[in-house]
């Protein structure tokens, strides 16, 4: 058997283990990156859906100016929540 005993394909066992370890680390990093992107995408979708659902609950009435005021009041409450979700999503995209 060429290449030394246990390993019929040859090579230094330490070098083979090192290569396997490096490969496993690269795969783990790829999985982490995919999870971060998925988290960010889901968070953005959630922000959009929650904002849309909340605005659908608003039934403005009165003149156009009164309706605009009612919608602005609703957005004053909704906007900070949406920004917090988008910020969390952005951090998920930006992480290294």
């Amino acid at each position: 058997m060429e290449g030394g005993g246990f390993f019929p394909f040859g090579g230094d066992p330490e070098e083979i283990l090192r290569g396997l370890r490096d490969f496993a680390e690269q795969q783990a990093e790829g999985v982490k990156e995919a999870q971060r992107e998925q988290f960010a995408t889901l968070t953005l979708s959630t922000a959009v859906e929650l904002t849309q659902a909340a605005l659908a609950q608003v039934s403005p009435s009165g003149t156009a100016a009164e309706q605009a005021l009612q919608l602005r009041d609703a957005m004053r409450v909704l906007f900070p929540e949406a920004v917090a979700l988008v910020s969390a999503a952005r951090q998920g995209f930006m992480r290294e």
Side-chain angles (χ1 to χ4, degrees), residues 41-58 74-75 77-86:
T41 300
L42 289 173
T43 304
L44 283 172
S45 294
T46 300
V48 169
E49 289 174 14
L50 288 175
T51 302
Q52 182 181 19
L55 284 176
Q57 298 298 311
V58 176
M75 284 307 298
V77 174
L78 296 172
F79 188 72
E81 299 300 323
V83 168
L85 287 171
V86 170

Side-chain angles (χ1 to χ4, degrees), residues 16-30:
I16 292 169
L17 287 175
R18 199 172 314 114
L20 288 172
R21 194 174 307 120
D22 289 345
F23 176 75
E25 287 174 5
Q26 290 171 353
Q27 293 300 315
E29 185 57 38

Side-chain angles (χ1 to χ4, degrees), residues 54-73:
L55 284 176
Q57 298 298 311
V58 176
S59 298
S61 60
T63 66
E66 291 169 336
Q67 290 179 25
L69 182 62
Q70 292 166 25
L71 290 172
R72 279 195 299 269
D73 286 343

